[in-house]
Amino acid sequence: MTTPDSMALGNDARDMALTDSASNRRNVLDLDDFSAEEIFSVLDDTGAMVEVLGRDIKKVPTLRGRVVVTMFYESSTRTRISFEEAGKVLSADVINMSSSGSSVDKGESLLNTGLTLQAMGVDVVVVRHPHAGAPYLLARHLPKVSVINAGDGLHAHPTQALLDMYTMREKLGSLSGARVVIVGDVLHSRVARSNLWGLTKVGAQVILSGPTTLMPLDLLGGRGELEEDHPFAQVDVDTDLDRAIQGADVVMALRLQSERQHSGFLPSLREYIRRWQVTEERLGKANPGALVMHPGPMNEGVEISTSLAHGDSSVIEAQVTNGVAVRMALLYRLCAGQGNRIGDDP
Amino acid sequence: MAPNSNERPERQIMDAQEIQRSLSRIAHEILERNRGVGRLVLVGIHTRGVILSQRLAENIRRFEGSQPPLAELDINLYRDDLQARENPRVRPTKFPVDVRGKRVVLVDDVLFTGRTIRAALDALSDLGRPRQVQLAILVDRGHRELPIRADYVGKNVPTSLDEEVKVRLTETDQAEDVIIVKLGREVK
């Protein structure tokens, strides 16, 4: 089941179906073309991968002979290493391609790089790119390669959203009806955007909070641009965090990039901290046992207090651990079922 | 279904009682061969092998007074035909005991090409070095492609390659029997 309205939140990168069907997925570009059922099946597979990661010898032969290339045109620690570890635990050969020092910012050279990789017989390309839509360009033009979006511009970061949802489901038991408050710079957050797709599909209740200037325009006020049956029509925006956080099961703080302050989105950092920092005091208004999450890297003392980031409610480290398992589940899913039937097995 | 066949497309080869008797006999045979439950582990292969292993363990508990530990193995990460499988799911392997030094009895519903068992042996050896591995199977339908045989067999059933053997258990299938289904397709 795909959602036809891909224009929400100002994204115009998608107008095509890049997967044949949910059961035989070739690319992971965003969660908008995932059904709830497929999300749950990825989360179930992730549980099996968590077991592999808990073994003394973390290695299974599943993707032997497959080649995974990570192409990161933007800096990253956890996502890149997480994909690399995921591939290696599954016995794939993982090659990291560095963009530093090269002029790869233009669409054409990205495409040529992709074509080169395809000609070399690469099976999966994991791409992070500062321009929204870059992974879609690769997916459209590389029929023999699976593309995983590891973050494109302000647009999407589907693997992060899946690991967030896995962590929530693991700790809360169920995602349906969970009240998830996402706090901070939602406007510039690809993590928030992919989480919105995923969480609304699985029936969670999402509340966005933060300065009005950092809220997505089409979710504010009268929601003029959204059809009533659009999944995001159920998303609430409440700029008053102290009110939004009441009864929350999950509080997810987003990274506040310092340059936002200089480009007129914030009156001052002090005001932001005072009104929207996730603190122990504010968490007291959430449900008992509420989870504190952060996609990282954190600005401790800005969007989240240091004591909370490392406190008992924080599942931030679990998010990182689960990130490897989610990416294993996705690599497995993309590499399976690609060939012709070569045998019949009970 | 193939209309050119005079056979019924589906025929039963074991009913609920026969399944129960087979499992009861296999439980006795396991106890006899291993002289009790000491160092024994029953390992079910997902999905129906897990159910059968639970039933065998329950039988052993009734006969012997104590029950061997149970484990669950998912072999999808060890398959040799990953590319050919559409939308394969992985379920967690659950191994609550240390496999080292144990007498492991692998349990599955149908033994066919032997490739599933080959994968299970690989999966098992990644968890440690058992002292011995045995294989218990409800239905052996022949057509092995690898040098693998079962130590305990519920029923040997001659089949042709255009047939499918389906083990249906109440826990997963709302039925309790073993049937052979004629597939209406050409065999390579």
Side-chain angles (χ1 to χ4, degrees):
Chain A
M1 199 180 78
T2 57
T3 311
D5 187 353
S6 55
M7 305 294 282
L9 299 181
N11 298 307
D12 55 2
R14 299 66 50 88
D15 52 0
M16 64 222 150
L18 287 161
T19 48
D20 306 330
S21 73
S23 64
N24 208 359
R25 172 168 292 281
R26 188 164 70 82
N27 305 300
V28 178
L29 301 174
D30 196 0
L31 296 187
D32 56 350
D33 66 349
F34 276 67
S35 64
E37 189 190 9
E38 191 179 9
I39 290 174
F40 286 130
S41 92
V42 171
L43 301 187
D44 290 344
D45 287 355
T46 302
M49 299 305 180
V50 167
E51 181 271 321
V52 174
L53 289 171
R55 292 182 189 176
D56 291 344
I57 298 164
K58 293 179 285 212
K59 193 88 170 174
V60 288
T62 319
L63 298 187
R64 225 167 25 179
R66 304 306 176 91
V67 181
V68 177
V69 173
T70 66
M71 282 165 89
F72 275 56
Y73 294 120
E74 234 181 46
S75 57
S76 159
T77 314
R78 70 196 72 215
T79 306
R80 179 180 201 135
I81 292 182
S82 176
F83 268 111
E84 188 174 349
E85 186 182 347
K88 286 182 172 171
V89 171
L90 291 173
S91 298
D93 292 304
V94 183
I95 300 168
N96 294 316
M97 215 200 76
S98 170
S99 70
S100 60
S102 57
S103 59
V104 287
D105 234 23
K106 291 168 187 161
E108 208 167 37
S109 27
L110 170 73
L111 190 53
N112 279 338
T113 311
L115 288 168
T116 306
L117 294 176
Q118 176 172 263
M120 289 174 177
V122 166
D123 297 287
V124 181
V125 169
V126 178
V127 62
R128 167 169 290 189
H129 200 280
H131 292 173
Y136 290 77
L137 181 78
L138 288 177
R140 194 185 309 153
H141 293 284
L142 305 180
K144 294 177 195 157
V145 172
S146 286
V147 178
I148 300 182
N149 183 359
D152 62 329
L154 303 181
H155 171 234
H157 194 352
T159 63
Q160 175 74 39
L162 286 168
L163 77 88
D164 289 340
M165 284 192 280
Y166 179 82
T167 308
M168 289 179 214
R169 192 177 75 160
E170 188 195 18
K171 307 282 180 190
L172 299 175
S174 164
L175 290 166
S176 174
R179 189 176 160 90
V180 180
V181 181
I182 302 179
V183 190
D185 186 1
V186 177
L187 185 62
H188 300 97
S189 174
R190 56 193 176 203
V191 174
R193 236 174 282 279
S194 286
N195 261 302
L196 274 173
W197 278 116
L199 288 168
T200 52
K201 287 190 185 219
V202 300
Q205 187 193 354
V206 186
I207 301 99
L208 306 176
S209 189
T212 311
T213 48
L214 295 177
M215 294 293 105
L217 284 176
D218 47 2
L219 292 184
L220 274 176
R223 300 199 175 89
E225 295 175 32
L226 283 183
E227 306 271 332
E228 233 174 74
D229 57 352
H230 190 282
F232 293 179
Q234 304 304 317
V235 173
D236 281 326
V237 179
D238 190 342
T239 54
D240 181 352
L241 178 57
D242 291 293
R243 193 168 54 209
I245 206 169
Q246 287 172 20
D249 299 300
V250 176
V251 183
M252 184 187 296
L254 300 173
R255 173 179 171 77
L256 185 76
Q257 280 155 305
S258 54
E259 61 265 31
R260 304 292 172 229
Q261 197 193 156
H262 307 300
S263 34
F265 287 102
L266 294 175
S268 78
L269 199 58
R270 250 197 11 226
E271 178 176 336
Y272 183 88
I273 291 170
R274 190 167 53 76
R275 294 183 61 185
W276 291 288
Q277 185 183 77
V278 181
T279 61
E280 268 157 335
E281 191 198 338
R282 286 204 163 99
L283 193 67
K285 296 171 185 154
N287 270 347
L291 311 175
V292 174
M293 303 180 75
H294 193 297
M298 286 186 281
N299 296 307
E300 289 176 23
V302 181
E303 68 264 8
I304 187 168
S305 74
T306 300
S307 59
L308 202 58
H310 301 283
D312 291 341
S313 315
S314 166
V315 293
I316 295 168
E317 277 181 32
Q319 284 176 273
V320 177
T321 308
N322 294 336
V324 179
V326 160
R327 287 160 184 135
M328 286 168 70
L330 291 172
L331 287 174
Y332 173 72
R333 181 164 290 243
L334 295 184
C335 287
Q338 283 181 336
N340 305 317
R341 290 199 79 84
I342 47 177
D344 205 1
D345 212 18
Chain B
M1 289 304 150
N4 56 351
S5 162
N6 287 331
E7 287 177 69
R8 280 174 299 161
E10 193 179 299
R11 69 176 201 275
Q12 194 184 63
I13 53 171
M14 285 176 100
D15 62 18
Q17 199 168 38
E18 287 172 285
I19 292 175
Q20 197 192 332
R21 285 194 190 117
S22 283
L23 292 176
S24 165
R25 172 175 53 78
I26 291 172
H28 280 297
E29 286 174 359
I30 290 173
L31 285 169
E32 186 183 16
R33 164 96 78 101
N34 295 286
R35 299 190 190 90
V37 296
R39 305 184 79 75
L40 202 61
V41 188
L42 298 189
V43 181
I45 298 173
H46 273 292
T47 305
R48 287 176 189 77
V50 171
I51 297 164
L52 294 174
S53 71
Q54 289 160 354
R55 295 192 188 175
L56 282 173
E58 171 58 23
N59 283 341
I60 289 173
R61 192 192 58 74
R62 279 196 289 120
F63 304 148
E64 202 75 354
S66 67
Q67 184 182 308
L70 281 163
E72 299 175 15
L73 206 58
D74 187 89
I75 54 100
N76 274 303
L77 297 175
Y78 295 87
R79 301 203 83 106
D80 58 5
D81 59 349
L82 181 65
Q83 273 182 300
R85 305 195 74 84
E86 281 174 20
N87 200 19
R89 302 294 311 279
V90 217
R91 287 140 302 189
T93 288
K94 293 180 192 157
F95 227 97
V97 289
D98 190 348
V99 71
R100 283 174 293 185
K102 296 293 193 304
R103 292 175 193 275
V104 169
V105 180
L106 287 172
V107 184
D108 205 2
D109 54 352
V110 179
L111 181 58
F112 182 22
T113 60
R115 289 179 192 271
T116 298
I117 304 305
R118 198 276 313 155
L121 290 170
D122 280 357
L124 204 56
S125 63
D126 268 7
L127 300 172
R129 183 181 186 274
R131 181 186 163 88
Q132 194 181 25
V133 184
Q134 303 164 9
L135 175 61
I137 220 85
L138 186 62
V139 177
D140 184 345
R141 61 166 294 189
H143 304 291
R144 216 75 78 237
E145 292 169 5
L146 294 170
I148 282 170
R149 60 159 183 79
D151 300 86
Y152 314 100
V153 180
K155 186 168 185 152
N156 283 297
V157 182
T159 59
S160 73
L161 279 171
D162 64 349
E163 291 172 327
E164 189 183 353
V165 176
K166 280 189 177 168
V167 173
R168 302 192 294 191
L169 303 173
T170 44
E171 290 91 331
T172 47
D173 309 287
Q174 289 98 40
E176 178 80 13
D177 58 7
V178 181
I179 56 170
I180 290 188
V181 183
K182 194 98 180 160
L183 300 171
R185 62 171 166 86
E186 289 295 307
V187 180
K188 291 173 288 262

